[in-house]
């Protein structure tokens, strides 16, 4: 959970606070603008906790078109091509741009290492029952795995 | 709902299956959107062929049908040696995945998959860091689209088949961690089901999936370093023989723990102290330290022998060094308590804030507890939301309960929260704050809520949310029931909701989807006018706030709700 503003003192209502019984860890809490309410007037199939749609009157026939607007998760949480930040488990480091990281020397060394033996071991036990053809772009027919 | 890595089409995307094409309204904006997407998809397909050239001679990749944080899924066709051309789902894993994680996901599919509604694997292709898992493709519905047109009988079948899949994986000691509709594929016409995506799976203590033991994420409470990144692993883990039990938990074991990256611990704060929702819905803790092994010798000894030979790769001292090297960039509280180094436990200072509405510099200066929380917020069990370190297969049963809640209430997603505590607050409004607090005590958590909210009666809640039958939704069933002969046009009958008497038995009485061409659309109720008490009893047991007493998959299959269904 994120680091919260560290204001000592009394939490402002309404809030939810959680703390481990061991007293060993930092409590975490949330000060809400309002405690969630079950909203029965939001049209189906939207969540009863959908605050953006306070009344069914705004979109009376909404429920029927394949119109998902309003049922969706909040905007910024969309996965976008452009947002390719992340953490590389192979290199144990964060990266700002996925493609750039994959081309970095460190990652390429890992990619070509024997670390993938554990994957290949499992592959070697699978039964291959596809037919190969020379269709499409002439691609190297290579089922062998890994490059050493 | 956001950022799913699954075989399922994202619920919020346009499904592109032929089934849906018939239903699509000719909407020019949608058309534009699809065309726009297509170019991107075509590029992705081309890139995939380039990354894993072997695919070119086997598959015709048709489309991209899913995209998540850790993978993209494509629809392809291939010719089998025996039999016809087959539709295949190709799952391309993000090349930053650690090989052990990739192998663990594959092993889940090979060990547990292929039966009881658990997705299996046909083959796997690799070139360097690009791994593509080939699986049978199951054409499936979009949960949101069919939610309000399912008959009650179909709901029973859906849940029954979900429990079959969960029982199967739980028998193998797999905790799925991301059970939700988009990871449980459902083909309504064929009555076929498949639980997919083991990308976030973890093993129980006694898991039968050997590699899940190396993908541990329990952050041991007694472990004192702030950044638990002392990972070591064997260069090669051969899987021919299971490691003996007494070794499997030993410290010499080569293991990949999954602590959280800083990025995850320090999620960006939104306003009002909530964490930003970006990147939170599907996160997996990361594999830690780089490999400290020096040599990679491909040997053919038993794993046990190897494990014994393995040098202890990082002793305590080097662990500490490693932990120290990772500087924490959090702005910690400026308290006059001097923190010890990250590698030792801060003094266990107590304060009087516990279970009160207070926080002080003492409790706020303690380190944060880290526990697995991969998954999707609205489907996380209370023990996940409150960072309980020992999570079990019961977390999947909670998620199944949330799906059942959607089916009974006609609402999806049911919970809508971008952070854990909002999700917990929403659970409290359904299950009651006192009840939630009480249960949390049993797993060692103090939960405090400034406002007491009562538990809801599940039947009343679901019936109110479902409201009168939605006749328009049923028109969508045309492809299932070829033609609806007598669809009533007297719009939305306001029918009184009947409360079924307790102990009602399940007579088929021609209702429900058990027959392909049922013409029984009497008043569009299709079983919804007499939902038996058993349904809500089962829901209550799935949404048990106490993981220790929550119903198991095995028990759920035996529940009276499924009285007349055969395993």
């Amino acid at each position: 959970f994120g680091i919260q503003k560290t204001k000592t003192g009394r939490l402002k209502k309404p809030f939810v606070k959680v703390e481990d019984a061991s007293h060993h860890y930092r409590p975490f809490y949330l000060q809400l603008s309002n405690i969630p309410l079950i909203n029965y007037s939001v049209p189906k199939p939207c969540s009863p906790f959908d605050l953006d749609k306070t009344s069914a009157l705004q979109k009376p026939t909404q429920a029927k078109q394949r119109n998902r607007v309003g049922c969706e998760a909040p905007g910024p949480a969309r996965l976008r091509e452009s947002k390719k930040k992340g953490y590389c488990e192979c290199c144990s480091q964060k990266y700002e741009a996925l493609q750039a990281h994959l081309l970095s020397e460190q990652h390429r060394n890992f990619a070509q290492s024997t670390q993938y033996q554990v994957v290949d071991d499992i592959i070697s036990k699978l039964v291959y029952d596809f037919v190969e053809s020379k269709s499409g772009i002439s691609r190297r027919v290579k089922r062998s795995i890994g490059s050493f | 709902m956001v950022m799913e890595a699954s075989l399922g089409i994202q619920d919020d995307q346009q499904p592109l299956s032929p089934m849906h094409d018939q239903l699509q309204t000719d909407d020019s904006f949608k058309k534009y959107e699809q065309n726009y997407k297509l170019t991107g998809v075509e590029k992705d397909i081309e890139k995939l062929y380039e990354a894993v050239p072997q695919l070119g001679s086997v598959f015709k990749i048709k489309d991209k049908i899913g995209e998540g944080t850790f993978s993209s899924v494509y629809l392809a066709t291939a010719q089998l040696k025996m039999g016809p051309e087959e539709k295949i789902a190709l799952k391309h894993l993000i090349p930053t995945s650690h090989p052990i994680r990739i192998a663990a996901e594959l092993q889940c599919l090979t060990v547990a998959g292929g039966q009881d509604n658990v997705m299996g694997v046909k083959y796997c292709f690799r070139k360097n860091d690009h791994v593509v898992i080939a699986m049978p493709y199951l054409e499936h519905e979009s949960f949101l689209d069919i939610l309000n047109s399912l008959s009650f009988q179909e709901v029973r079948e859906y849940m029954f088949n979900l429990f079959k899949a969960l029982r199967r994986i739980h028998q193998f000691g797999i905790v799925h961690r991301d059970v939700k509709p988009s990871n449980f594929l459902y083909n309504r016409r064929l009555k076929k089901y498949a639980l997919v995506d083991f990308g976030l799976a973890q093993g129980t203590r006694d898991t039968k999936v050997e590699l899940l033991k190396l993908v541990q994420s329990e952050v041991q409470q007694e472990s004192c370093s702030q950044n638990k990144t002392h990972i070591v692993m064997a260069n090669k883990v051969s899987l021919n023989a299971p490691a003996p039990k007494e070794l499997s938990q030993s410290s010499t074991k080569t293991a990949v723990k999954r602590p959280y990256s800083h990025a995850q611990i320090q999620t960006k704060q939104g306003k009002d102290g909530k964490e930003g929702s970006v990147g939170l819905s599907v996160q997996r803790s990361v594999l830690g330290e780089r490999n400290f092994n020096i040599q990679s010798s491909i040997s053919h000894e038993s794993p046990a022998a190897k494990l014994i030979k393995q040098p202890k790769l990082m002793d305590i001292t080097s662990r500490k060094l490693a932990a120290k090297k990772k500087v924490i960039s959090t702005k910690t509280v400026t308290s006059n308590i001097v923190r010890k180094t990250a590698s030792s436990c801060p003094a266990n200072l107590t304060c009087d804030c516990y279970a009160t509405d207070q926080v002080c510099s003492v409790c706020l200066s303690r380190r944060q507890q880290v526990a697995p929380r991969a998954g999707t917020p609205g489907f996380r069990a209370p023990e996940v939301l409150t960072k309980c370190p020992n999570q079990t297969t019961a977390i999947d049963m909670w998620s199944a309960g949330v799906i059942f809640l959607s089916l009974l209430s006609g609402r999806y997603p049911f919970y809508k929260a971008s952070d854990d505590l909002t999700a917990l607050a929403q659970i409290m409004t359904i299950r009651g704050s006192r009840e939630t607090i009480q249960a949390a005590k049993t797993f060692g958590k103090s939960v405090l809520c400034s406002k007491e909210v009562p538990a809801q009666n599940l039947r009343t809640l679901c019936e109110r949310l479902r409201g009168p039958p939605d006749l328009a939704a049923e028109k969508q069933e045309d492809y299932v029931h070829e033609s609806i002969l007598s669809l009533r046009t007297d719009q939305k009958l306001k029918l009184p909701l009947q409360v079924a008497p307790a102990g009602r038995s399940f007579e088929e009485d021609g209702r429900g989807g058990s027959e392909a061409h049922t013409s029984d659309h009497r008043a569009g109720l299709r079983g919804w006018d007499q939902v038996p008490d058993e349904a809500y009893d089962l829901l209550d047991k799935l949404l048990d706030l106490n993981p220790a007493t929550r119903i198991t998959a095995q028990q759920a299959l035996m529940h009276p709700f499924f009285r007349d269904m055969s395993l």
Side-chain angles (χ1 to χ4, degrees):
Chain A
F1 210 90
I3 307 299
Q4 286 145 333
K5 278 212 206 94
T6 53
K7 282 214 305 232
T8 56
R10 206 171 279 271
L11 296 173
K12 269 197 16 226
K13 289 182 182 180
F15 67 84
V16 178
K17 179 188 170 194
V18 177
E19 186 172 352
D20 194 73
S22 68
H23 297 43
H24 285 185
Y25 303 99
R26 179 191 170 109
F28 54 108
Y29 49 87
L30 177 65
Q31 299 176 81
L32 307 118
S33 41
N34 41 26
I35 219 92
L37 279 175
I38 304 166
N39 187 339
Y40 290 98
S41 61
V42 183
K44 274 196 298 188
C46 290
S47 167
F49 298 105
D50 205 330
L51 294 172
D52 322 331
K53 306 184 60 62
T54 40
S55 103
L57 298 171
Q58 295 171 336
K59 284 202 172 185
T61 56
Q62 190 273 350
K64 234 18 285 131
Q65 309 138 9
R66 293 173 41 93
N67 180 354
R68 273 75 178 284
V69 181
C71 289
E72 294 194 1
R78 286 269 160 273
L79 190 70
R80 281 280 155 263
E81 284 296 310
S82 55
K83 283 199 78 69
K84 288 278 173 139
K85 287 201 296 199
Y87 182 89
C88 181
E89 296 177 340
C90 306
C91 308
S92 314
Q93 64 181 53
K94 282 195 276 185
Y95 55 82
E96 288 303 307
L98 175 63
Q99 288 310 322
H101 176 76
L102 296 182
L103 295 172
S104 70
E105 192 179 354
Q106 185 186 6
H107 187 85
R108 278 178 45 233
N109 284 341
F110 188 98
Q112 293 169 19
S113 74
T114 55
Q115 293 276 343
Y116 289 87
Q117 186 62 46
V118 63
V119 177
D120 296 345
D121 284 350
I122 298 180
I123 294 177
S124 68
K125 296 198 190 77
L126 294 171
V127 179
Y128 181 86
D129 65 349
F130 294 113
V131 176
E132 288 169 23
S133 68
K134 290 150 204 75
S135 71
I137 313 140
S138 62
R139 298 193 167 92
R140 284 179 301 146
V141 178
K142 208 176 106 188
R143 250 203 295 126
S144 67
I145 27 196
S147 43
F148 295 92
Chain B
M1 250 188 76
V2 284
M3 290 193 267
E4 304 169 327
S6 79
L7 266 188
I9 295 168
Q10 281 195 27
D11 297 351
D12 46 37
Q13 284 187 352
Q14 282 300 320
L16 302 169
S17 64
M19 233 183 214
H20 287 280
D21 287 352
Q22 301 169 23
L23 308 169
Q24 295 242 348
T25 46
D26 194 10
D27 183 63
S28 57
F29 170 72
K30 243 176 247 164
K31 275 240 163 69
Y32 164 78
E33 209 184 13
Q34 275 190 16
N35 288 339
Y36 171 76
K37 259 197 212 154
L38 222 60
T39 53
V41 167
E42 278 166 351
K43 247 187 253 165
D44 290 347
I45 291 173
E46 205 42 52
K47 275 196 215 139
L48 181 57
Y49 279 129
E50 278 167 37
V52 189
Q54 312 93 292
L55 298 176
S57 55
V58 182
F59 300 102
K60 291 195 192 79
I61 304 177
K62 308 275 190 193
D63 197 0
K64 188 177 195 172
I65 54 174
E67 174 160 1
T69 316
F70 305 116
S71 66
S72 297
V73 181
Y74 298 84
L75 172 61
T77 56
Q79 181 64 49
L80 297 186
K81 281 176 183 161
M82 303 288 284
E85 189 178 65
E86 215 177 292
K87 281 184 175 165
I88 302 290
L90 295 177
K91 179 172 180 174
H92 180 212
L93 306 180
I94 190 169
T96 56
S97 307
H98 196 280
I100 290 191
R101 184 187 302 289
I102 296 168
E105 178 170 358
L106 260 180
Q107 204 170 45
C108 287
L109 292 164
T110 57
V111 170
Q115 57 173 286
D116 287 346
N117 304 325
V118 180
M119 179 56 75
V121 56
K122 288 196 78 68
Y123 202 70
C124 179
F125 300 83
R126 178 175 87 85
K127 189 191 173 199
N128 297 341
D129 51 344
H130 289 274
V131 176
V132 173
I133 304 174
M135 291 165 279
Y137 174 70
L138 175 60
E139 197 164 298
H140 53 277
E141 325 290 336
S142 144
F143 189 77
L144 192 58
D145 286 351
I146 58 161
L147 177 58
N148 281 292
S149 69
L150 291 170
S151 69
F152 180 68
Q153 174 62 14
E154 283 174 310
V155 166
R156 282 179 73 216
E157 289 163 1
Y158 181 103
M159 290 307 297
F160 188 77
N161 282 286
L162 175 57
F163 294 134
K164 262 199 206 169
L166 291 176
R167 180 182 61 178
R168 171 89 185 158
I169 66 163
H170 293 169
Q171 277 168 343
F172 285 94
I174 300 169
V175 183
H176 186 283
R177 293 209 70 95
D178 202 18
V179 173
K180 58 181 174 183
S182 50
N183 283 334
F184 186 58
L185 312 184
Y186 170 43
N187 184 309
R188 192 175 184 179
R189 200 168 38 87
L190 303 173
K191 294 202 185 297
K192 284 177 81 175
Y193 309 83
L195 180 65
V196 301
D197 194 358
F198 293 93
L200 296 173
Q202 289 174 351
T204 57
R205 228 168 268 281
D206 57 347
T207 184
K208 306 211 175 30
V209 180
E210 288 297 313
L211 284 165
L212 284 179
K213 292 179 179 168
L214 308 185
V215 179
Q216 292 178 335
S217 89
E218 309 86 51
V219 182
Q220 274 125 14
Q221 281 182 284
E222 60 273 17
S223 166
C224 282
S225 78
Q226 180 111 20
N227 301 286
K228 299 167 188 67
T229 51
H230 16 274
I231 297 354
V232 290
M233 48 200 151
N235 279 312
K236 177 163 185 305
V237 182
S238 79
L239 303 161
N240 305 324
K245 264 251 159 67
E246 63 273 13
L247 269 170
S248 68
Q249 297 299 327
S250 78
S251 57
T252 52
K253 202 182 90 188
T254 57
V256 175
K257 274 199 206 155
R258 303 165 62 180
Y260 286 89
S261 70
H262 297 252
Q264 285 158 332
I265 295 176
Q266 304 164 25
T267 47
K268 289 196 185 69
Q269 292 298 291
K271 283 178 216 140
D272 62 21
K274 282 191 204 175
E275 51 190 349
S277 54
V278 178
L280 285 173
S281 66
V282 177
Q283 58 163 233
R284 51 182 176 188
S285 41
V286 294
L287 301 157
E289 222 64 277
R290 76 201 64 228
N291 192 343
F292 280 72
N293 267 340
I294 305 126
Q295 310 185 357
S296 66
S297 58
I298 297 173
S299 68
H300 295 285
E301 310 163 352
S302 74
K306 260 214 292 287
L307 289 173
I308 293 161
K309 281 195 192 170
Q310 282 272 339
K312 214 170 171 183
L313 293 168
M314 285 177 76
D315 61 10
I316 298 298
T317 330
S318 50
R319 275 190 195 194
K320 287 185 181 174
L321 282 172
K324 264 191 210 167
K325 262 186 255 171
K326 299 217 163 185
V327 179
I328 303 173
S329 61
T330 42
K331 295 193 175 63
T332 39
V333 193
T334 46
S335 65
N336 37 18
I337 298 145
V338 181
R339 263 200 196 219
K340 299 199 181 168
T341 54
S343 56
S344 62
C345 284
N348 184 16
L349 292 159
T350 50
C351 62
D352 297 329
C353 298
Y354 186 76
T356 71
D357 64 352
Q358 306 264 353
V359 287
C360 70
S361 57
V362 174
C363 58
L364 288 178
S365 66
R366 298 186 198 129
R367 72 176 179 280
Q368 295 179 68
Q369 187 167 20
V370 182
R373 38 188 298 277
T376 306
F379 291 90
R380 287 182 192 144
E383 65 269 27
V384 180
L385 299 173
T386 56
K387 299 192 190 178
C388 187
N390 30 17
Q391 298 167 20
T392 67
T393 53
I395 71 170
D396 290 340
M397 296 308 288
W398 175 276
S399 304
V402 177
I403 297 178
F404 197 24
L405 185 58
S406 275
L407 289 165
L408 293 172
S409 67
R411 306 306 186 114
Y412 177 75
F414 190 91
Y415 293 117
K416 196 173 172 177
S418 54
D419 66 89
D420 286 349
L421 289 186
T422 301
L424 188 66
Q426 291 179 1
I427 288 171
M428 285 195 246
T429 63
I430 301 296
R431 304 298 277 153
S433 53
R434 274 188 34 238
E435 291 82 351
T436 307
I437 290 161
Q438 206 58 42
K441 273 205 189 103
T442 67
F443 50 86
K445 295 291 171 181
S446 149
V447 174
L448 200 64
C449 184
S450 60
K451 187 170 182 291
E452 188 170 320
V453 286
Q456 300 294 311
N457 173 294
L458 292 173
R459 176 187 287 278
T460 313
L461 172 84
C462 291
E463 287 178 349
R464 268 189 79 184
L465 286 170
R466 177 167 270 280
D470 190 345
L471 295 185
E474 287 164 29
K475 286 185 182 165
Q476 293 202 3
E477 287 181 287
D478 288 5
Y479 65 87
V480 179
H481 313 291
E482 285 176 346
S483 65
I484 295 172
L485 300 170
S486 55
L487 187 60
R488 305 176 61 140
T489 45
D490 35 330
Q491 283 309 312
K492 309 230 177 185
L493 297 157
K494 283 266 196 295
L495 283 148
L497 290 163
Q498 300 168 29
V499 177
R504 168 182 298 279
S505 67
F506 305 104
E507 294 307 321
E508 273 299 307
D509 66 12
R511 226 175 226 132
S514 54
E515 297 153 75
H517 303 293
T518 179
S519 58
D520 185 292
H521 280 267
R522 264 177 305 173
L525 291 169
R526 293 162 17 273
W528 289 106
D529 56 332
Q530 33 191 292
V531 176
D533 288 342
E534 285 90 341
Y536 296 107
D537 180 71
L538 176 58
L539 180 62
D540 181 55
K541 291 180 161 80
L542 290 163
L543 298 180
D544 185 339
L545 297 156
N546 181 349
T549 52
R550 196 174 300 148
I551 196 168
T552 65
Q554 174 67 50
Q555 291 163 346
L557 290 166
M558 310 300 286
H559 189 277
F561 181 58
F562 301 119
R563 192 171 298 147
D564 55 343
M565 299 184 87
S566 51
L567 273 165

